[in-house]
């Protein structure tokens, strides 16, 4: 049995009431057990705590698979404990993020139509079939997102700072909600014109349906790589994963290109797609780097991380 050691505990930032000045552990104590012990002793939620090593300020993982010995902590080592402030569950964050763009298009197209487009001659024309189709595609996309949030995704982190929900939601509520809904559903929008391109509608709808199904399949593959309640990861394989690092992102972008085509090339849809695509490209590169680091030669390196043959 490993001999116990004493770690010196110091607050970092805002003081934590009842934070112990030291804590007794063993080299085999897991990071998760350390977090739970400090949370219990201080009366703070474990999700609000971040523990770092005093020597180099590297984070001590809150994980079952990482022990105190693995982190290099030993007798009389100093650890800093930071209160991250009020937290909110990641699942709740996603539900709120997607709720805006799920509801806003239908609100703009129907009950709020006269109010939103007050400066157009009355009575307003009825929404065109293309505008109705765009609204349907947007609703299906974000209904799928909500379903995946509730029943598919497994989150590596339980919570995030509550204040971040405003920043995270702004992207979806503003760009995918108000921005797209206002411009695509205007009475004078290209999607409202009688001479719209039927070819764009058919190609865009077909691309959307294919991409949404493929994206859902990629999410199921990623979900099955992680056992419930763990942060363990495996090497993903299956449809799309031989082409790019993150086919779920690739199919997400293709689905939005489908909406862009159906909308008769609305710049508002294009802006949302480009902004989201840049962010996903950054996430995909980080994931590719992590795969190479974690799995070494077992992982087949990808040259394209986001779009096959391009990025």
């Amino acid at each position: 049995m490993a001999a116990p050691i004493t770690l010196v505990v110091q607050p970092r930032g805002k003081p934590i009431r009842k934070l112990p000045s030291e804590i007794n552990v063993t080299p085999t104590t897991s990071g998760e057990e350390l977090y739970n012990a400090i949370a219990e002793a201080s009366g703070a939620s474990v999700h609000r705590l971040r523990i770092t090593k005093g020597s180099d300020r590297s984070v001590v993982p809150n994980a079952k698979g990482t022990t105190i010995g693995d982190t290099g902590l030993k007798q009389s080592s100093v650890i800093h404990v930071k209160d991250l402030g009020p937290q909110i569950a990641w699942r709740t964050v996603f539900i709120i993020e997607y709720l805006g763009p799920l509801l806003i298009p239908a609100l703009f197209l129907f009950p709020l139509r006269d109010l939103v487009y007050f400066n157009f001659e009355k009575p307003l024309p009825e929404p065109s079939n293309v505008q109705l189709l765009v609204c349907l595609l947007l609703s299906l996309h974000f209904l799928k997102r909500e379903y995946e949030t509730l029943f598919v995704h497994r989150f590596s982190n339980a919570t995030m700072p509550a204040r971040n929900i405003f920043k995270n939601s702004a992207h979806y509520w503003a760009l995918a909600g108000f921005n797209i809904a206002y411009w695509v559903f205007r009475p004078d929008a290209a999607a409202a014109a009688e001479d719209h391109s039927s070819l764009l509608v058919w190609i865009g709808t077909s691309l959307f349906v294919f991409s949404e199904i493929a994206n859902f399949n990629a999410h199921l593959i990623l979900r099955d790589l992680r056992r419930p309640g763990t942060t363990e990861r495996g090497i993903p394989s299956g449809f799309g994963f031989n082409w790019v690092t993150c086919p779920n992102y690739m199919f997400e972008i293709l689905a939005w290109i489908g909406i862009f085509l159906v909308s008769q090339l609305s710049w508002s849809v294009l802006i949302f797609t480009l902004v989201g695509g840049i962010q996903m490209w950054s996430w995909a590169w980080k994931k590719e780097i992590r795969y190479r680091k974690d799995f070494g030669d077992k992982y087949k390196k990808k040259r394209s991380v986001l779009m096959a043959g391009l990025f």
Side-chain angles (χ1 to χ4, degrees):
M1 182 175 179
I5 60 175
T6 300
L7 301 179
V8 178
V9 181
Q10 296 178 355
R12 185 177 179 188
K14 184 173 64 175
I16 301 174
R17 196 166 67 93
K18 296 183 180 180
L19 182 70
S21 60
E22 58 183 34
I23 191 164
N24 296 319
V25 294
T26 69
T28 58
T29 298
S30 69
E32 182 182 65
E33 290 171 331
L34 175 63
Y35 273 81
N36 289 335
I38 291 180
E40 183 177 357
S42 64
S45 168
V46 69
H47 300 302
R48 292 181 60 143
L49 302 179
R50 183 172 65 200
I51 302 175
T52 55
K53 295 166 56 179
S55 58
D56 58 10
R57 296 196 173 183
S58 60
V59 176
V60 178
N62 183 358
K64 291 181 180 178
T66 301
T67 67
I68 297 299
D70 294 335
T71 65
L73 292 170
K74 50 191 177 182
Q75 175 65 28
S76 299
S77 289
V78 175
I79 57 173
H80 294 152
V81 181
K82 182 177 179 63
D83 182 356
L84 299 175
Q87 301 289 296
I88 187 170
W90 270 101
R91 200 177 304 276
T92 302
V93 171
F94 282 130
I95 290 173
I96 294 174
E97 281 182 1
Y98 303 147
L99 187 61
L102 172 61
L103 300 178
I104 290 170
L107 290 174
F108 272 43
L109 200 57
F110 297 111
L112 300 181
R113 185 169 174 79
D114 287 337
L115 180 63
V116 172
Y117 303 112
F118 66 91
N119 55 328
F120 284 84
E121 184 178 347
K122 302 296 189 295
L124 293 175
E126 291 296 315
S128 71
N129 289 335
V130 173
Q131 288 175 318
L132 292 172
L133 178 58
V134 172
C135 183
L136 175 63
L137 298 185
L138 291 171
S139 298
L140 289 175
H141 176 78
F142 287 106
L143 276 173
K144 169 181 166 291
R145 286 284 193 93
E146 296 284 29
Y147 175 84
E148 291 171 338
T149 297
L150 292 170
F151 304 109
V152 177
H153 294 320
R154 291 172 181 160
F155 300 95
S156 56
N157 295 316
T159 65
M160 65 174 284
R163 64 181 181 276
N164 287 357
I165 193 169
F166 300 102
K167 177 184 67 177
N168 288 32
S169 296
H171 171 71
Y172 287 102
W173 284 61
L175 287 184
F178 295 112
N179 173 57
I180 291 177
Y182 178 80
W183 294 105
V184 175
F185 300 149
R186 281 171 60 102
D188 61 351
E194 293 183 2
D195 60 344
H196 65 269
S197 170
S198 297
L199 181 62
L200 288 179
V201 171
W202 283 108
I203 293 176
T205 303
S206 300
L207 181 60
F208 174 86
V209 172
F210 163 77
S211 300
E212 289 290 328
I213 294 173
N215 174 267
F216 183 72
N217 177 67
H219 285 159
L220 291 178
I221 292 173
L222 292 171
R223 187 274 309 272
D224 292 340
L225 291 177
R226 180 182 298 161
R227 291 182 299 169
T230 72
T231 58
E232 296 176 5
R233 299 177 185 272
I235 300 176
S237 61
F239 184 69
F241 285 95
N242 291 330
W243 306 337
V244 295
T245 309
C246 299
N248 51 318
Y249 295 159
M250 178 177 70
F251 295 130
E252 172 84 8
I253 292 173
L254 290 177
W256 279 102
I257 291 176
I259 296 175
F260 171 64
L261 296 177
V262 174
S263 73
Q264 306 299 294
L265 312 182
S266 171
W267 63 267
S268 61
V269 181
L270 180 62
I271 286 177
F272 176 77
T273 305
L274 289 174
V275 171
I278 291 171
Q279 180 62 74
M280 285 185 275
W281 177 80
S282 174
W283 289 338
W285 260 118
K286 290 176 182 178
K287 187 160 289 189
E288 172 69 16
I289 292 171
R290 187 168 67 241
Y291 283 156
R292 294 180 183 184
K293 178 181 177 182
D294 292 348
F295 301 112
D297 294 338
K298 295 180 181 179
Y299 176 70
K300 183 179 179 180
K301 298 179 181 179
K302 307 294 193 305
R303 296 186 63 181
S304 299
V305 298
L306 186 63
M307 300 298 289
L310 295 176
F311 305 105

